[in-house]
Amino acid sequence: MTSPIGGEGIVVSRETTGDAIGSAYSEVHEEAPPDPIPKADSAVARARVIRTAGDFARVAARLDDGNTPLARMAEDTVRARQEAANRPPMPRPEATRIVVVANQKGGVGKTTTTVNVAAALAQLGQRVLVIDLDPQGNASTALGVEHQRGVPSAYDALVDGDELAGLVSPVPDLPRLEVVPATIDLAGAEIELVSLVARENRLRKAVIGHPRVGSAEDVGEDRYDYVFVDCPPSLGLLTLNALVAGDEMLIPIQAEYYALEGLGQLLETVEMVKAHLNPRLVVSTIIVTMYDGRTRLAAGVAQEVREHFGDEVLKTAIPRSVRVSEAPSYGQTVMTYDPASPGALSYLEAAREIARKGAPR
């Protein structure tokens, strides 16, 4: 559906009016156009004349100048990734903070919160260790470390009594972050722990025995600032070991009604652990995850949680984000996968809040 104009092969878009055909001709041929098409025939011209891809070549060259929205977004992302590793450091705590991330309800963002808060703190200058206590090994996947059967893992510390220092793996791209991975062997640890002496204290013994866990006075500058324990979605012996090992607890709550229902049962378990096994344990932090500001339900759940728990709830809520869900498939946290995304910025601010609050007294 093309037609030559004045003997030449110039063609223009179907959307181009007759008045614009002359400028299109000049753009390609760099000379004055022939007699213009009469306005009366402009409708016919629009129907008969199109531009080819070759005619757009010169225009495309002028668009590739970094000023398009897509180019600016790519530039912002690259800049954010470069700056992520050089963020101003936060003050380090005086002693290692051992934080248990637990909620017996599945799908509330425990693992996602663990790895992204840990990564954000590492970017803020903290030395962090993550202990993956979930047999699914999702935290190990997100942090990009091997966790197939046979890899040294948390199972060896819990069941065999191995030293935790020999089970640590470094995390790629985050030099201040390390992880004790989980393997499928942990699925059988619940049964194997039943017959062991002091079965609830196995993880506590391993964590306290690590040479980099302790106060600045006892351990020095090479100490871990934070130890995060990622728990499975249950209240079995693995989670119980974590609750006995920890000094404080971080509870992620999905901004939905079912999450509130399960919270009561979890807090009952915490009170039992405090009364009989670990009087040091304190629920220090509650974080609202998967927050959708477009719904009244999310706002209502967040308000109810804040009214009940007060200052324990972080001011920062974590929004639903495709980037946060995509990152583990690349063996990364969202903090390195897309540091300019809303999810990454929210986790960064949540990490700052946790660091500013300090350890519970």
Side-chain angles (χ1 to χ4, degrees), residues 136-215:
Q136 299 176 86
N138 295 146
S140 305
T141 299
L143 294 173
V145 299
E146 298 291 332
H147 61 98
Q148 69 272 15
R149 188 186 296 272
V151 171
S153 68
Y155 173 88
D156 301 303
L158 279 174
V159 178
D160 298 333
D162 292 0
E163 292 186 0
L164 207 61
L167 310 174
V168 172
S169 298
V171 175
D173 303 325
L174 290 167
R176 297 184 185 91
L177 180 58
E178 297 176 334
V179 59
V180 177
T183 63
I184 194 61
D185 295 328
L186 272 176
E190 297 263 4
I191 299 174
E192 296 179 66
L193 285 170
V194 169
S195 60
L196 299 180
V197 177
R199 58 194 180 192
E200 302 90 354
N201 291 283
R202 306 283 291 187
L203 184 61
R204 174 73 181 179
K205 181 180 178 182
V207 172
I208 295 301
H210 196 293
R212 294 178 62 189
V213 173
S215 65

Side-chain angles (χ1 to χ4, degrees), residues 137-356:
N138 295 146
S140 305
T141 299
L143 294 173
V145 299
E146 298 291 332
H147 61 98
Q148 69 272 15
R149 188 186 296 272
V151 171
S153 68
Y155 173 88
D156 301 303
L158 279 174
V159 178
D160 298 333
D162 292 0
E163 292 186 0
L164 207 61
L167 310 174
V168 172
S169 298
V171 175
D173 303 325
L174 290 167
R176 297 184 185 91
L177 180 58
E178 297 176 334
V179 59
V180 177
T183 63
I184 194 61
D185 295 328
L186 272 176
E190 297 263 4
I191 299 174
E192 296 179 66
L193 285 170
V194 169
S195 60
L196 299 180
V197 177
R199 58 194 180 192
E200 302 90 354
N201 291 283
R202 306 283 291 187
L203 184 61
R204 174 73 181 179
K205 181 180 178 182
V207 172
I208 295 301
H210 196 293
R212 294 178 62 189
V213 173
S215 65
E217 183 179 351
D218 297 333
V219 182
E221 291 301 308
D222 196 38
R223 70 187 183 281
Y224 287 124
D225 299 302
Y226 295 85
V227 174
F228 286 94
V229 184
D230 182 38
C231 297
S234 68
L235 294 176
L237 274 174
L238 292 177
T239 301
L240 186 60
N241 261 270
L243 295 176
V244 173
D247 297 323
E248 52 185 298
M249 190 171 177
L250 188 158
I251 304 177
I253 297 181
Q254 186 180 3
E256 293 186 3
Y257 176 74
Y258 285 147
L260 289 178
E261 260 193 342
L263 183 59
Q265 184 181 356
L266 177 62
L267 294 177
E268 287 180 8
T269 303
V270 171
E271 291 302 319
M272 290 177 61
V273 170
K274 288 180 65 175
H276 302 287
L277 297 169
N278 182 9
R280 305 175 311 278
L281 186 62
V282 175
V283 178
S284 64
T285 306
I286 295 175
I287 183 169
V288 178
T289 62
M290 305 182 193
Y291 183 82
D292 188 346
R294 299 171 299 176
T295 65
R296 293 183 180 180
L297 175 63
V301 170
Q303 182 178 353
E304 189 169 342
V305 170
R306 288 192 169 94
E307 288 176 355
H308 191 274
F309 293 99
D311 293 339
E312 295 169 7
V313 184
L314 295 185
K315 295 177 181 178
T316 305
I318 308 302
R320 287 188 178 274
S321 171
V322 174
R323 291 304 207 187
V324 172
S325 302
E326 279 180 352
S329 64
Y330 294 88
Q332 297 183 57
T333 67
V334 74
M335 305 307 301
T336 55
Y337 175 67
D338 190 355
S341 66
L345 296 175
S346 297
Y347 273 118
L348 179 66
E349 188 56 35
R352 283 198 179 104
E353 279 194 63
I354 292 171
R356 289 193 195 104

